[in-house]
C-alpha cells in the first residue's frame, strides 16, 4: 500500500512537471479517469461516448476524436489511437490551461499558438496541413446540426462566406484563376487573432489557485 | 459604448462663419431666455386673462369702454412652461452642435466640462438679470425625466457577453467597493469634524449618521459622468464594462444606504437589527429591481410578437414598457436603474427578432437622441444649480471630502483587485487598476440625492451640497480632462475597432461547445455547463413564446450571418455601390477562387447540351419562371432575417419586381448556351456593375444593362462547378418535384458573393421596391457610426 502510494505520487509528480498541472489537480483528474474507464488502464471512444451530458453537444464527435488524435500529444506523431492512457488524457487536457499572472508575453504567445493548434487539428481531419472548404463545411454543419433542416441549408453558405473571408484577408490579390487551397495554420492564426485564445480557451477548474474541484465526483 | 455624439470634426471649417454665426445665435438665445421671463415677471398685467376679465366686467356694467381689438397680443404665461423647456432643450442641442464645430476644443476638454461651464454662464446670466433661477435640477425632474433615457440607452445596448463574463468583478466593485467608500468617507469625516480644536466650529454639530449619509451619497460612481467621459477615450472593452457596470449596479447600494441613514437620522441610533434589516433590504432592492425589470422586459417581448400588423408603434412599446418598469421600481423604493437595465437587456434579443428593421433603427436613434439631450441638459443644469444653490463653504469639510474620496477610491480598488485577481483568469494589471480608480467619477445623481435632503433633519444640508458640487467639479474637470492623456501615456489598450467576422463568430460558438464538452468529460459543472443549459432552455421554451413565427427556431450563427450580409449589403448601397468595399481589405478574391477546381467543365457541359432537345428549352423556361418565384421568395428570405417569406413586411407585394425579373430571365435563357461556358455576367444595374467590377475582375463581358433594379441573380453557372449541370437536371425535375428547391438553392451559389451583392437589401430599412431613385434617398442617410455594437443574442 505504502509502496504503491509513493510510486503513483512519483508518477503524478513526473506528470505534473511535464504537463504543468499541480499534483492536486492530477490526482483529481486521475480519479475522473478511473471513473470514466471503469477502473481500467485505458479509455476508448465508447467510454467517452457514454457520458450522458455530452449527448446534447453538437460537436461531440470531434471532441472525442481530439482525445484520440496523436497530433495533440505533442510528440510529432500523426494518426489516431484506439485507446488512450491517463498520460495521454492529461496531455490533451493540458491544452486548456489558462495563463497565470506570471506568464510572460512570449509564453502567452506560445500558449495561444498551442491552443490554436489544437483547434486546427480538430478541423483538419485528413491532416494535410490545411483546412479545405469541405472540411470547413463539415465543421459548420456539425455546429448547426442540432438545428434541423434550416441548419443544413445555411451551413454551406456560411462556410463558403467564411472561407471567402479568410482568403480575402490573407491573400488579398488573387487572379481569377487562382485557387485557394485551404486555410493553413498561419492563416488560421491570422483570422482568429482577435479572439485572444490564451484567455478564452480554458477550463476554469484548471486554474492553478482554485482549490474547489468537483472533478472526480461520480456526477457525469 | 458607441459614441452617441458621432463626432466628426470638419477639417478647416472650424474658424470662420458657421462658428461665429452659431455663437451669435447662442447669445441671442440667452438674451431671449432671460429677457422673456423678465418681461413676463415685471408686467403681469398684460395678460390676456386680465383683458378678458376687464372686458367682461366692463360689459357687465356699461359698454362704453370698448378697447380696440387686439390684433397682436403678447401672452407669455400661456405658453411659459413648454416654451422654457423647449428653450433649454434647444440650448443644449445648440451647445452640442457648437462644440463639434470647434475640433480643437472638443479634443482637449471633454464635453461634460464644457457643458457645465455653459451651465455656469447661463446661471450667471440669469442671476445677473435679477431673475430667480428656476430650480432646474429639481430632483423629481432629474430622476423621472432626465435620468431614465440615459440608463435605458445604456441598458438596451449593454454588451451582454462581456458584462456577464465579468459580473463577479463588477458586483464586487459595485457592492463592496461602494460600501467601503461610504463607511470610510463617512467615518473619517465624522472623526475630522470632531477633532476641531478650540473655536466653536459648526462642524461639531454634525452627528455620525449624517456623516455616513453624506458618505453614501458621495461614494457612488455616477453612470452619466462615466459614460460622458469614457465615451471619448475609447478604452478597451474590459475596462469600460468594469467601470460602467459598477456605476450602474451600485445604484442598489446607494438607494439602500441612503434610505437607511435617512430614516435613522431621525431616530438617532442604529441597532444591529437595523443593520440586518439593511442587508435584507439591499437584497430586496437589488433582486426586486431586476425582477421588476425582467417582468416588464418579458411583457414587452411578448407584445412585440404581435406587432406585425402595426409596425409603426413598435418602438413605442419598447420605450413605454421600459419607462414603466423604472417607475414601478421607484414606486416600491427598489432600484429603478437596475430595473431599467434588466428590462432593456432581457427584452432586446426577443424584440429584435420580432420587430421590423425600420423599427429597430427608430429605437436606436430615439434612444441615442434622448440620452444625448438628457446628458447635455444634466450637465448644463448642474452648472446652473451651482450658481444658484445656497452655498455654505467650509474649507475643512470640503477639502477633506475631496481628499478622502480619492484616497478611499484608490484603497478600495487596490484592495478589491487583490482579492478579485485570485479568482479571475484574465488578471487586472496595475494599469487597469489605475484606470478603474481614476474613472470613478461622481455626477449629478449625487447632487440630486443631496438636494432631496430634508432641511429640518439636516441643518448642514447646504454644506453638504457645496461639498458634493466641489467633488463633482473636481472629478469631472480634473479627472475627466486628464484621463485621456493619461490613457495615452500609459498606453492602455484601446477599443478594437474591427468588426466581428463570421470566422470569429463560428469559432466563438465552436469554442463554447468545445469547452462545455471538456467540462462534461471532466465531470465538472462549471461556467460553461450552466451557460449551455441556459441557452438550451432559452431555445426550447422561451424563444418559442416570445418570438413570432419561424424566427424562433433560427440558430444564432445563422442570425449572425444574415445580419452580417445585410450590413454589408447596406454598406455597399450606401457607398454608391462598389466605390468603397465593405470588407476591410479590398481584395480580388471571389467565390470561384475557393470553389474546388473540378475537371474541365466543358465536357460535362457539352454532354448536357446535346441532351437538351429544342422542345425542352421551352419547358425549362416555364419551369424556371415558376420556380424562380418560389426560389426568389426563399432566397429573399435568406437575405433578411426571416427564413421564410414574411408576407407581413411592408411593400412585399412587389410583383413588379418579379415581373422585371422574369424579363431578365427570359433574356438570360435566350443566351443560356453562353452561360454554360463563359463566366456568368447577368444583366446588371449600374450599381451591380460597379460592384462586380470592383470585386470580380471577370465581369468584362457585361450584358447591356437593363434599368431593372439590382436583384438576386440566378447565377446559373459558375464556370468551375459542374453544379451547373446538375442545375439543369434539377430544373427538369423541378417541375415534378418541389423538393428540388433545396438542392437548387445550394448549388446556385448565390449567397456566395457577399461583397458584391447589393441585392441583399431586400429587407433593409430603406425600401423594398428597389428603384434607383429610392436607393439614392437611402444614400442620403449616412447612418450611425459604422461600428455600432452588434446586436448580440441573449447569452451569446
Amino acid at each position: 500500500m505504502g509502496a504503491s502510494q509513493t510510486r503513483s505520487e512519483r508518477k503524478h509528480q513526473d506528470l505534473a512537471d511535464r504537463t504543468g498541472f499541480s499534483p492536486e489537480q492530477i490526482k483529481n483528474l486521475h480519479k475522473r479517469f478511473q471513473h470514466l474507464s471503469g477502473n481500467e488502464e485505458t479509455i476508448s471512444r465508447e467510454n467517452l461516448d457514454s457520458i450522458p451530458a455530452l449527448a446534447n453537444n453538437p460537436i461531440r464527435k470531434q471532441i472525442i476524436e481530439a482525445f484520440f488524435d496523436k497530433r495533440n500529444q505533442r510528440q510529432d506523431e500523426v494518426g489516431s489511437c484506439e485507446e488512450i492512457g491517463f498520460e495521454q488524457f492529461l496531455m490533451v487536457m493540458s491544452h486548456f490551461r489558462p495563463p497565470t499572472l506570471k506568464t510572460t508575453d512570449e509564453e502567452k504567445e506560445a500558449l495561444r499558438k498551442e491552443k490554436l493548434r489544437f483547434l486546427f487539428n480538430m478541423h483538419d481531419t485528413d491532416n494535410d496541413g490545411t483546412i479545405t472548404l469541405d472540411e470547413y463545411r463539415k465543421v459548420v454543419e456539425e455546429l448547426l446540426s442540432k438545428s434541423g433542416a434550416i441548419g443544413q441549408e445555411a451551413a454551406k453558405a456560411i462556410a463558403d462566406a467564411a472561407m471567402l473571408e479568410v482568403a480575402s484577408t490573407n491573400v488579398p490579390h488573387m487572379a481569377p484563376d487562382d485557387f485557394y487551397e485551404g486555410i493553413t495554420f498561419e492563416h488560421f492564426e491570422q483570422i482568429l487573432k482577435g479572439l485572444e485564445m490564451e484567455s478564452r480557451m480554458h477550463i476554469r477548474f484548471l486554474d492553478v489557485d482554485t482549490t474547489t474541484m468537483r472533478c472526480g465526483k461520480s456526477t457525469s | 459604448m458607441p459614441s452617441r455624439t458621432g463626432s466628426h470634426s470638419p477639417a478647416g471649417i472650424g474658424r470662420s462663419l458657421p462658428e461665429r454665426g452659431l455663437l451669435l445665435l447662442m447669445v441671442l438665445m440667452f438674451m431671449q431666455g432671460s429677457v422673456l421671463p423678465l418681461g413676463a415677471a415685471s408686467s403681469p398685467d398684460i395678460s390676456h386673462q386680465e383683458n378678458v376679465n376687464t372686458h367682461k366686467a366692463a360689459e357687465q356694467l356699461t359698454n362704453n369702454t370698448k378697447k380696440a381689438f387686439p390684433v397682436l397680443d403678447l401672452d407669455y404665461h400661456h405658453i411659459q412652461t413648454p416654451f422654457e423647456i423647449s428653450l433649454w432643450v434647444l440650448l443644449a442641442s445648440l451647445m452640442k452642435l457648437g462644440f463639434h464645430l470647434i475640433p480643437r476644443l472638443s479634443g482637449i476638454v471633454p464635453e461634460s466640462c464644457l457643458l457645465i461651464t455653459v451651465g455656469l454662464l447661463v446661471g450667471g446670466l440669469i442671476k445677473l438679470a435679477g431673475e430667480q433661477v428656476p430650480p432646474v435640477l429639481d430632483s423629481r425632474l432629474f430622476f423621472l425625466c432626465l435620468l431614465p433615457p440615459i440608463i435605458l440607452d445604456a441598458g438596451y445596448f449593454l454588451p451582454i457577453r462581456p458584462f456577464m463574463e465579468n459580473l463577479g468583478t463588477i458586483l464586487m466593485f459595485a457592492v463592496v467597493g461602494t460600501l467601503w467608500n461610504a463607511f470610510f468617507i463617512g467615518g473619517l469625516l465624522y472623526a475630522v469634524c470632531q477633532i476641531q480644536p478650540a473655536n466653536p466650529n459648526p462642524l461639531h454639530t454634525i452627528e455620525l449618521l449624517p456623516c455616513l449619509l453624506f458618505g453614501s451619497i458621495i461614494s457612488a460612481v455616477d453612470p452619466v459622468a462615466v459614460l460622458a467621459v469614457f465615451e471619448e477615450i475609447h478604452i478597451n472593452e474590459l475596462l469600460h464594462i468594469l467601470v460602467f457596470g459598477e456605476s450602474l449596479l451600485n445604484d442598489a447600494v446607494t438607494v439602500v444606504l441612503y434610505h437607511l441613514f435617512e430614516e435613522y437620522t431621525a431616530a438617532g441610533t442604529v441597532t444591529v437589527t437595523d443593520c440586518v434589516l439593511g442587508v435584507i433590504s439591499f437584497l430586496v432592492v437589488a433582486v426586486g429591481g431586476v425582477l421588476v425589470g425582467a417582468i416588464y422586459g418579458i411583457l414587452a417581448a411578448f407584445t412585440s410578437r404581435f406587432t406585425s400588423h402595426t409596425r409603426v408603434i413598435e418602438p413605442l412599446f419598447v420605450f413605454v414598457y421600459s419607462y414603466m418598469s423604472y417607475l414601478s421600481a421607484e414606486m416600491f423604493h427598489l432600484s429603478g436603474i437596475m430595473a431599467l437595465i434588466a428590462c432593456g437587456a432581457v427584452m432586446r434579443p426577443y424584440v429584435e427578432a420580432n420587430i421590423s428593421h425600420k423599427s429597430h433603427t427608430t429605437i436606436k436613434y430615439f434612444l441615442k437622441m434622448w440620452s444625448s439631450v438628457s446628458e447635455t441638459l444634466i450637465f448644463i443644469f448642474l452648472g446652473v444649480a451651482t450658481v444658484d444653490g445656497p452655498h455654505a463653504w467650509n474649507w475643512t469639510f470640503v477639502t477633506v471630502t475631496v481628499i478622502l474620496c480619492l484616497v478611499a477610491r484608490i484603497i478600495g480598488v487596490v484592495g478589491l483587485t487583490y482579492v478579485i485577481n485570485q479568482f479571475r483568469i484574465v488578471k487586472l494589471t496595475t494599469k487597469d487598476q489605475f484606470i478603474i480608480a481614476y474613472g470613478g467619477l461622481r455626477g449629478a445623481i449625487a447632487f440630486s440625492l443631496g438636494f432631496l435632503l430634508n432641511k429640518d433633519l439636516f441643518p448642514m444640508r447646504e454644506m453638504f451640497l457645496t461639498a458634493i458640487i466641489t467633488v463633482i467639479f473636481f472629478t469631472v474637470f480634473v479627472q475627466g480632462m486628464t484621463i485621456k492623456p493619461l490613457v495615452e501615456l500609459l498606453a492602455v489598450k484601446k477599443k478594437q475597432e474591427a468588426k466581428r467576422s463570421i470566422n470569429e463568430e463560428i469559432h466563438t460558438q465552436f469554442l463554447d461547445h468545445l469547452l462545455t464538452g471538456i467540462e462534461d468529460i471532466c465531470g465538472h459543472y462549471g461556467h460553461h455547463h450552466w451557460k449551455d443549459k441556459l441557452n438550451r432552455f432559452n431555445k426550447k421554451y422561451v424563444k418559442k413564446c416570445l418570438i413570432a413565427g419561424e424566427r424562433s427556431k433560427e440558430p444564432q450563427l445563422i442570425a449572425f450571418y444574415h445580419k452580417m450580409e445585410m450590413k454589408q449589403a447596406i454598406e455597399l448601397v450606401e457607398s454608391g455601390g462598389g466605390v468603397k468595399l465593405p470588407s476591410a481589405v479590398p481584395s480580388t478574391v471571389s467565390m470561384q477562387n475557393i470553389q474546388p477546381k473540378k475537371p474541365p467543365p466543358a465536357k460535362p457541359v457539352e454532354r448536357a447540351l446535346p441532351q437538351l432537345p429544342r422542345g425542352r428549352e421551352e419547358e425549362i423556361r416555364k419551369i424556371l419562371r415558376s420556380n424562380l418565384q418560389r426560389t426568389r421568395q426563399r432566397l429573399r428570405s435568406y437575405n433578411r432575417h426571416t427564413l421564410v417569406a414574411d408576407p407581413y413586411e411592408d411593400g412585399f407585394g412587389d410583383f413588379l419586381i418579379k415581373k422585371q425579373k422574369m424579363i431578365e430571365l427570359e433574356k438570360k435563357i435566350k443566351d443560356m448556351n453562353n452561360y454554360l461556358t463563359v463566366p456568368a455576367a447577368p444583366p446588371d444595374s449600374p450599381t451591380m456593375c460597379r460592384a462586380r467590377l470592383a470585386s470580380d475582375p471577370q465581369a468584362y463581358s457585361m450584358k447591356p444593362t437593363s434599368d431593372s433594379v439590382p436583384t438576386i441573380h440566378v447565377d446559373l453557372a459558375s464556370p468551375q462547378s459542374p453544379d451547373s449541370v446538375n442545375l439543369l437536371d434539377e430544373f427538369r425535375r423541378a417541375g415534378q418535384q418541389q423538393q428540388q428547391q433545396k438542392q437548387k438553392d445550394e448549388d446556385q451559389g448565390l449567397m456566395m458573393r457577399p461583397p458584391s451583392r447589393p441585392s441583399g437589401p431586400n429587407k433593409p430599412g430603406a425600401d423594398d421596391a428597389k428603384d434607383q431613385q429610392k436607393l439614392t434617398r437611402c444614400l442620403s442617410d449616412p447612418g450611425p457610426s459604422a461600428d455600432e455594437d452588434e446586436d448580440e443574442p441573449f447569452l451569446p
Side-chain angles (χ1 to χ4, degrees), chain A residues 154 157-158 160-162 164-165, chain B residues 500 502 557-573 582 635-641 643 712 749-762 764 790:
Chain A
I158 294 177
D160 289 342
L164 186 65
E165 196 182 76
Chain B
R500 207 167 157 82
I502 184 85
L557 188 57
I558 298 184
F560 178 86
Y561 176 61
H562 288 150
K563 277 194 198 121
M564 194 188 76
E565 271 209 311
M566 194 153 83
K567 267 206 167 75
Q568 282 178 336
I570 294 179
E571 273 174 25
L572 191 62
V573 167
L635 288 171
R636 186 207 297 261
S637 66
Y638 250 124
N639 286 327
R640 307 211 246 115
H641 282 230
L643 283 179
I712 303 176
L750 272 175
M751 310 278 292
M752 304 175 182
R753 291 181 195 254
S756 65
R757 280 202 306 122
S759 57
N762 292 311
E790 302 293 326

Side-chain angles (χ1 to χ4, degrees), chain A residues 29 32 36 48 51 53-54 56-59 62-64 67 89 92-93 96 98-101 118-119 122-123 133-134 136-137 139-140 143-144 146-147 149-169 171-181 183 188 191-205 207 209-210 212-217 219-220, chain B residues 161 165 421-429 493 496 500-533 536 539 550 553-559 561-562 564-565 568 583-597 634 638 643 696-698 700 720 723 742 745-749 751-755:
Chain A
L29 282 170
R32 178 65 179 173
L36 282 175
L48 289 180
I51 302 176
L54 265 190
N56 284 315
N57 202 314
I59 55 168
Q62 275 96 326
I63 298 178
I64 295 177
F67 276 89
F89 183 75
V92 172
M93 282 298 183
F96 294 93
T100 64
L101 201 50
F118 186 83
L119 279 182
M122 281 184 86
H123 296 328
L133 185 60
D134 279 326
Y136 211 24
R137 271 184 193 161
V139 171
V140 180
L143 264 184
L144 293 174
K146 294 280 172 189
S147 319
I150 302 176
Q152 298 314 327
E153 289 168 23
K156 206 154 176 285
I158 294 177
D160 289 342
M163 195 73 159
L164 186 65
E165 196 182 76
V166 178
S168 321
T169 348
V171 194
H173 301 285
M174 289 177 79
D177 281 331
D178 284 349
F179 176 57
Y180 182 66
E181 295 288 338
I183 310 178
F188 193 68
I191 52 168
L192 292 186
K193 223 174 19 169
L195 277 186
E196 287 190 4
M197 274 302 163
E198 70 271 13
S199 13
R200 291 187 71 147
M201 183 165 148
H202 65 269
I203 301 289
R204 198 156 259 273
F205 85 100
D207 187 2
D209 299 318
T210 323
T212 54
M213 285 206 294
R214 270 166 275 151
C215 173
K217 296 244 167 66
T219 46
S220 60
Chain B
R161 195 182 182 119
E165 279 176 7
N421 269 344
Q422 313 288 340
F423 299 99
R424 280 182 68 91
I425 298 295
V426 181
K427 318 278 182 193
L428 295 173
T429 64
K493 248 194 307 182
Q496 276 180 309
R500 207 167 157 82
S501 71
I502 184 85
N503 280 295
E504 285 183 358
E505 179 69 22
I506 291 177
H507 280 97
T508 310
Q509 298 227 357
F510 191 82
L511 208 57
D512 276 340
H513 289 298
L514 174 65
L515 293 175
T516 313
I518 299 282
E519 277 190 0
D520 289 332
I521 290 181
C522 291
H524 174 70
Y525 286 157
H527 202 44
H528 292 273
H529 180 93
W530 293 116
K531 207 161 96 157
D532 190 55
K533 265 209 158 88
R536 271 188 281 130
K539 195 155 111 170
E550 288 298 312
K553 296 201 203 75
E554 192 178 58
Q556 223 165 286
L557 188 57
I558 298 184
Y561 176 61
H562 288 150
M564 194 188 76
E565 271 209 311
Q568 282 178 336
S583 56
V585 178
S587 77
T588 53
V589 180
S590 71
M591 216 52 212
Q592 52 203 57
N593 293 105
I594 67 174
Q595 293 287 1
K597 274 205 173 71
R634 180 183 295 275
Y638 250 124
L643 283 179
D696 179 359
Q698 209 142 0
Y700 314 122
Q720 286 151 350
D723 294 344
K742 291 192 186 162
D745 291 347
E746 290 187 297
D747 297 345
Q748 270 166 5
M751 310 278 292
M752 304 175 182
R753 291 181 195 254

Side-chain angles (χ1 to χ4, degrees), chain A residues 85-100:
Chain A
F86 181 57
E87 195 179 309
Q88 283 101 339
F89 183 75
L90 265 191
M91 265 305 185
V92 172
M93 282 298 183
S94 70
H95 286 279
F96 294 93
R97 266 180 307 136
T100 64

Side-chain angles (χ1 to χ4, degrees), chain B residues 253-297:
Chain B
V253 182
T254 314
V255 165
V256 171
L257 282 180
Y258 183 80
H259 284 123
L260 191 74
F261 290 133
E262 206 190 359
E263 289 280 322
Y264 292 119
T265 307
T269 53
V270 179
T271 62
V272 179
T273 5
D274 298 328
C275 288
V276 172
L277 282 178
V279 172
I280 299 178
S281 167
F282 165 70
L283 287 171
V284 168
V285 162
V287 175
V290 171
L291 266 177
V292 168
I295 292 175
Y296 273 96

Side-chain angles (χ1 to χ4, degrees), chain B residues 175-190:
Chain B
V175 177
V176 181
T178 313
L179 281 174
W180 157 258
N181 275 353
F183 283 102
F184 185 78
I185 296 177
L188 278 187
L189 260 181
Y190 180 65

Side-chain angles (χ1 to χ4, degrees), chain A residues 116-145:
Chain A
L116 282 175
R117 188 83 226 176
F118 186 83
L119 279 182
F120 190 81
N121 288 340
M122 281 184 86
H123 296 328
D124 182 19
T125 42
D126 60 2
N127 193 27
D128 60 355
T130 57
I131 304 177
T132 59
L133 185 60
D134 279 326
E135 287 168 344
Y136 211 24
R137 271 184 193 161
K138 199 149 188 320
V139 171
V140 180
E141 262 169 37
E142 290 292 320
L143 264 184
L144 293 174
S145 58

Side-chain angles (χ1 to χ4, degrees), chain B residues 590-592 624 628 631 635 661 664-665 668 672 675-676 678-684 688 692 696 711-719 721 723-725 727-728 731 744-753 756-757:
Chain B
S590 71
M591 216 52 212
Q592 52 203 57
L624 274 175
L628 201 65
T631 307
L635 288 171
K661 262 244 71 167
E664 280 168 52
L665 200 63
K668 262 189 257 178
M672 190 123 89
Y675 278 103
L676 295 178
V678 156
D684 282 342
M688 270 296 268
R692 279 176 178 264
D696 179 359
T711 52
I712 303 176
H713 293 279
V714 183
D715 223 350
L716 289 182
S718 23
S721 111
D723 294 344
S724 53
V725 179
L727 204 60
L728 281 182
F731 277 10
K744 223 178 3 177
D745 291 347
E746 290 187 297
D747 297 345
Q748 270 166 5
L750 272 175
M751 310 278 292
M752 304 175 182
R753 291 181 195 254
S756 65
R757 280 202 306 122

